[in-house]
PDB file of all heavy atoms in Angstrom:
ATOM      1  N   GLY I 293     -15.705  -9.880  10.599  1.00 97.00           N
ATOM      2  CA  GLY I 293     -16.491 -10.831   9.832  1.00 97.00           C
ATOM      3  C   GLY I 293     -16.015 -10.984   8.407  1.00 97.00           C
ATOM      4  O   GLY I 293     -14.830 -10.835   8.092  1.00 97.00           O
ATOM      5  N   GLY I 294     -16.960 -11.261   7.517  1.00 96.00           N
ATOM      6  CA  GLY I 294     -16.644 -11.515   6.121  1.00 96.00           C
ATOM      7  C   GLY I 294     -16.451 -10.240   5.322  1.00 96.00           C
ATOM      8  O   GLY I 294     -16.569  -9.126   5.831  1.00 96.00           O
ATOM      9  N   ALA I 295     -16.160 -10.418   4.037  1.00 96.00           N
ATOM     10  CA  ALA I 295     -15.919  -9.291   3.141  1.00 96.00           C
ATOM     11  C   ALA I 295     -17.214  -8.543   2.855  1.00 96.00           C
ATOM     12  O   ALA I 295     -18.272  -9.141   2.656  1.00 96.00           O
ATOM     13  CB  ALA I 295     -15.288  -9.787   1.849  1.00 96.00           C
ATOM     14  N   GLY I 296     -17.113  -7.207   2.844  1.00 96.00           N
ATOM     15  CA  GLY I 296     -18.237  -6.348   2.521  1.00 96.00           C
ATOM     16  C   GLY I 296     -17.995  -5.632   1.211  1.00 96.00           C
ATOM     17  O   GLY I 296     -17.021  -5.904   0.499  1.00 96.00           O
ATOM     18  N   PRO I 297     -18.854  -4.681   0.842  1.00 95.00           N
ATOM     19  CA  PRO I 297     -18.675  -3.947  -0.422  1.00 95.00           C
ATOM     20  C   PRO I 297     -17.518  -2.963  -0.347  1.00 95.00           C
ATOM     21  O   PRO I 297     -17.094  -2.542   0.730  1.00 95.00           O
ATOM     22  CB  PRO I 297     -20.010  -3.212  -0.589  1.00 95.00           C
ATOM     23  CG  PRO I 297     -20.541  -3.076   0.802  1.00 95.00           C
ATOM     24  CD  PRO I 297     -20.084  -4.287   1.552  1.00 95.00           C
ATOM     25  N   ASP I 298     -17.007  -2.629  -1.524  1.00 94.00           N
ATOM     26  CA  ASP I 298     -15.974  -1.587  -1.652  1.00 94.00           C
ATOM     27  C   ASP I 298     -14.753  -1.877  -0.776  1.00 94.00           C
ATOM     28  O   ASP I 298     -14.279  -1.009  -0.027  1.00 94.00           O
ATOM     29  CB  ASP I 298     -16.544  -0.206  -1.304  1.00 94.00           C
ATOM     30  CG  ASP I 298     -17.699   0.181  -2.209  1.00 94.00           C
ATOM     31  OD1 ASP I 298     -17.661  -0.188  -3.392  1.00 94.00           O
ATOM     32  OD2 ASP I 298     -18.640   0.834  -1.729  1.00 94.00           O
ATOM     33  N   GLU I 299     -14.222  -3.109  -0.862  1.00 95.00           N
ATOM     34  CA  GLU I 299     -13.000  -3.501  -0.152  1.00 95.00           C
ATOM     35  C   GLU I 299     -13.114  -3.227   1.350  1.00 95.00           C
ATOM     36  O   GLU I 299     -12.248  -2.597   1.953  1.00 95.00           O
ATOM     37  CB  GLU I 299     -11.787  -2.783  -0.751  1.00 95.00           C
ATOM     38  CG  GLU I 299     -11.536  -3.141  -2.200  1.00 95.00           C
ATOM     39  CD  GLU I 299     -10.270  -2.507  -2.741  1.00 95.00           C
ATOM     40  OE1 GLU I 299      -9.643  -1.719  -2.009  1.00 95.00           O
ATOM     41  OE2 GLU I 299      -9.922  -2.799  -3.899  1.00 95.00           O
ATOM     42  N   SER I 300     -14.198  -3.697   1.918  1.00 97.00           N
ATOM     43  CA  SER I 300     -14.413  -3.528   3.357  1.00 97.00           C
ATOM     44  C   SER I 300     -14.671  -4.884   3.993  1.00 97.00           C
ATOM     45  O   SER I 300     -14.808  -5.900   3.304  1.00 97.00           O
ATOM     46  CB  SER I 300     -15.609  -2.593   3.622  1.00 97.00           C
ATOM     47  OG  SER I 300     -16.821  -3.216   3.207  1.00 97.00           O
ATOM     48  N   ARG I 301     -14.716  -4.892   5.337  1.00 97.00           N
ATOM     49  CA  ARG I 301     -15.097  -6.083   6.092  1.00 97.00           C
ATOM     50  C   ARG I 301     -16.120  -5.676   7.148  1.00 97.00           C
ATOM     51  O   ARG I 301     -16.047  -4.581   7.704  1.00 97.00           O
ATOM     52  CB  ARG I 301     -13.874  -6.727   6.767  1.00 97.00           C
ATOM     53  CG  ARG I 301     -13.093  -7.630   5.827  1.00 97.00           C
ATOM     54  CD  ARG I 301     -12.047  -8.419   6.579  1.00 97.00           C
ATOM     55  NE  ARG I 301     -11.396  -9.399   5.729  1.00 97.00           N
ATOM     56  CZ  ARG I 301     -11.796 -10.643   5.564  1.00 97.00           C
ATOM     57  NH1 ARG I 301     -12.848 -11.080   6.224  1.00 97.00           N
ATOM     58  NH2 ARG I 301     -11.166 -11.480   4.765  1.00 97.00           N
ATOM     59  N   PHE I 302     -17.049  -6.595   7.414  1.00 98.00           N
ATOM     60  CA  PHE I 302     -18.038  -6.326   8.447  1.00 98.00           C
ATOM     61  C   PHE I 302     -17.364  -6.440   9.819  1.00 98.00           C
ATOM     62  O   PHE I 302     -16.539  -7.331  10.051  1.00 98.00           O
ATOM     63  CB  PHE I 302     -19.206  -7.300   8.328  1.00 98.00           C
ATOM     64  CG  PHE I 302     -20.005  -7.102   7.071  1.00 98.00           C
ATOM     65  CD1 PHE I 302     -19.930  -8.008   6.024  1.00 98.00           C
ATOM     66  CD2 PHE I 302     -20.824  -5.990   6.934  1.00 98.00           C
ATOM     67  CE1 PHE I 302     -20.665  -7.820   4.871  1.00 98.00           C
ATOM     68  CE2 PHE I 302     -21.564  -5.784   5.778  1.00 98.00           C
ATOM     69  CZ  PHE I 302     -21.479  -6.708   4.742  1.00 98.00           C
ATOM     70  N   PHE I 303     -17.752  -5.538  10.724  1.00 98.00           N
ATOM     71  CA  PHE I 303     -16.991  -5.351  11.959  1.00 98.00           C
ATOM     72  C   PHE I 303     -17.922  -4.854  13.061  1.00 98.00           C
ATOM     73  O   PHE I 303     -18.805  -4.022  12.821  1.00 98.00           O
ATOM     74  CB  PHE I 303     -15.888  -4.317  11.669  1.00 98.00           C
ATOM     75  CG  PHE I 303     -15.112  -3.836  12.859  1.00 98.00           C
ATOM     76  CD1 PHE I 303     -13.919  -4.426  13.209  1.00 98.00           C
ATOM     77  CD2 PHE I 303     -15.566  -2.768  13.626  1.00 98.00           C
ATOM     78  CE1 PHE I 303     -13.184  -3.966  14.292  1.00 98.00           C
ATOM     79  CE2 PHE I 303     -14.846  -2.303  14.710  1.00 98.00           C
ATOM     80  CZ  PHE I 303     -13.647  -2.921  15.045  1.00 98.00           C
ATOM     81  N   ARG I 304     -17.732  -5.369  14.268  1.00 97.00           N
ATOM     82  CA  ARG I 304     -18.421  -4.824  15.437  1.00 97.00           C
ATOM     83  C   ARG I 304     -17.490  -4.937  16.636  1.00 97.00           C
ATOM     84  O   ARG I 304     -16.496  -5.681  16.595  1.00 97.00           O
ATOM     85  CB  ARG I 304     -19.754  -5.539  15.682  1.00 97.00           C
ATOM     86  CG  ARG I 304     -19.660  -6.985  16.084  1.00 97.00           C
ATOM     87  CD  ARG I 304     -21.042  -7.616  16.167  1.00 97.00           C
ATOM     88  NE  ARG I 304     -20.978  -9.055  16.377  1.00 97.00           N
ATOM     89  CZ  ARG I 304     -21.986  -9.886  16.129  1.00 97.00           C
ATOM     90  NH1 ARG I 304     -23.138  -9.410  15.669  1.00 97.00           N
ATOM     91  NH2 ARG I 304     -21.844 -11.180  16.337  1.00 97.00           N
ATOM     92  N   PHE I 305     -17.845  -4.236  17.712  1.00 97.00           N
ATOM     93  CA  PHE I 305     -16.925  -4.176  18.848  1.00 97.00           C
ATOM     94  C   PHE I 305     -17.668  -3.916  20.146  1.00 97.00           C
ATOM     95  O   PHE I 305     -18.820  -3.461  20.161  1.00 97.00           O
ATOM     96  CB  PHE I 305     -15.864  -3.099  18.619  1.00 97.00           C
ATOM     97  CG  PHE I 305     -16.392  -1.690  18.745  1.00 97.00           C
ATOM     98  CD1 PHE I 305     -16.254  -0.990  19.932  1.00 97.00           C
ATOM     99  CD2 PHE I 305     -17.022  -1.071  17.680  1.00 97.00           C
ATOM    100  CE1 PHE I 305     -16.740   0.297  20.062  1.00 97.00           C
ATOM    101  CE2 PHE I 305     -17.515   0.223  17.797  1.00 97.00           C
ATOM    102  CZ  PHE I 305     -17.367   0.905  18.984  1.00 97.00           C
ATOM    103  N   LYS I 306     -16.965  -4.195  21.247  1.00 97.00           N
ATOM    104  CA  LYS I 306     -17.377  -3.821  22.595  1.00 97.00           C
ATOM    105  C   LYS I 306     -16.227  -3.049  23.228  1.00 97.00           C
ATOM    106  O   LYS I 306     -15.052  -3.315  22.945  1.00 97.00           O
ATOM    107  CB  LYS I 306     -17.695  -5.054  23.446  1.00 97.00           C
ATOM    108  CG  LYS I 306     -18.862  -5.892  22.954  1.00 97.00           C
ATOM    109  CD  LYS I 306     -20.192  -5.182  23.171  1.00 97.00           C
ATOM    110  CE  LYS I 306     -21.359  -6.080  22.784  1.00 97.00           C
ATOM    111  NZ  LYS I 306     -22.662  -5.389  22.952  1.00 97.00           N
ATOM    112  N   VAL I 307     -16.543  -2.093  24.091  1.00 98.00           N
ATOM    113  CA  VAL I 307     -15.502  -1.286  24.718  1.00 98.00           C
ATOM    114  C   VAL I 307     -15.833  -1.060  26.181  1.00 98.00           C
ATOM    115  O   VAL I 307     -16.995  -0.919  26.571  1.00 98.00           O
ATOM    116  CB  VAL I 307     -15.337   0.073  23.983  1.00 98.00           C
ATOM    117  CG1 VAL I 307     -16.642   0.864  23.993  1.00 98.00           C
ATOM    118  CG2 VAL I 307     -14.205   0.885  24.589  1.00 98.00           C
ATOM    119  N   SER I 308     -14.798  -1.059  27.011  1.00 97.00           N
ATOM    120  CA  SER I 308     -14.910  -0.720  28.433  1.00 97.00           C
ATOM    121  C   SER I 308     -13.636   0.019  28.812  1.00 97.00           C
ATOM    122  O   SER I 308     -12.691   0.115  28.011  1.00 97.00           O
ATOM    123  CB  SER I 308     -15.085  -1.978  29.288  1.00 97.00           C
ATOM    124  OG  SER I 308     -13.966  -2.840  29.144  1.00 97.00           O
ATOM    125  N   ALA I 309     -13.599   0.542  30.027  1.00 97.00           N
ATOM    126  CA  ALA I 309     -12.409   1.281  30.465  1.00 97.00           C
ATOM    127  C   ALA I 309     -12.268   1.183  31.971  1.00 97.00           C
ATOM    128  O   ALA I 309     -13.256   1.198  32.706  1.00 97.00           O
ATOM    129  CB  ALA I 309     -12.482   2.741  30.037  1.00 97.00           C
ATOM    130  N   ASP I 310     -11.042   1.080  32.414  1.00 95.00           N
ATOM    131  CA  ASP I 310     -10.710   1.076  33.842  1.00 95.00           C
ATOM    132  C   ASP I 310      -9.946   2.365  34.125  1.00 95.00           C
ATOM    133  O   ASP I 310      -8.724   2.434  33.941  1.00 95.00           O
ATOM    134  CB  ASP I 310      -9.877  -0.161  34.182  1.00 95.00           C
ATOM    135  CG  ASP I 310      -9.566  -0.267  35.669  1.00 95.00           C
ATOM    136  OD1 ASP I 310     -10.197   0.478  36.441  1.00 95.00           O
ATOM    137  OD2 ASP I 310      -8.687  -1.078  36.044  1.00 95.00           O
ATOM    138  N   LEU I 311     -10.666   3.395  34.524  1.00 94.00           N
ATOM    139  CA  LEU I 311     -10.080   4.715  34.711  1.00 94.00           C
ATOM    140  C   LEU I 311      -9.850   4.989  36.191  1.00 94.00           C
ATOM    141  O   LEU I 311     -10.757   4.790  37.009  1.00 94.00           O
ATOM    142  CB  LEU I 311     -11.001   5.788  34.127  1.00 94.00           C
ATOM    143  CG  LEU I 311     -11.369   5.610  32.637  1.00 94.00           C
ATOM    144  CD1 LEU I 311     -12.345   6.696  32.208  1.00 94.00           C
ATOM    145  CD2 LEU I 311     -10.124   5.622  31.775  1.00 94.00           C
ATOM    146  N   PRO I 312      -8.664   5.444  36.553  1.00 92.00           N
ATOM    147  CA  PRO I 312      -8.373   5.724  37.965  1.00 92.00           C
ATOM    148  C   PRO I 312      -9.203   6.897  38.480  1.00 92.00           C
ATOM    149  O   PRO I 312      -9.468   7.865  37.749  1.00 92.00           O
ATOM    150  CB  PRO I 312      -6.876   6.044  37.960  1.00 92.00           C
ATOM    151  CG  PRO I 312      -6.589   6.497  36.571  1.00 92.00           C
ATOM    152  CD  PRO I 312      -7.499   5.725  35.676  1.00 92.00           C
TER     153      PRO I 312
END
Side-chain angles (χ1 to χ4, degrees):
D298 300 325
E299 298 185 355
S300 68
R301 277 190 173 269
F302 293 107
F303 172 95
R304 67 185 172 199
F305 73 97
K306 297 289 185 182
V307 59
S308 61
D310 183 13
L311 304 177

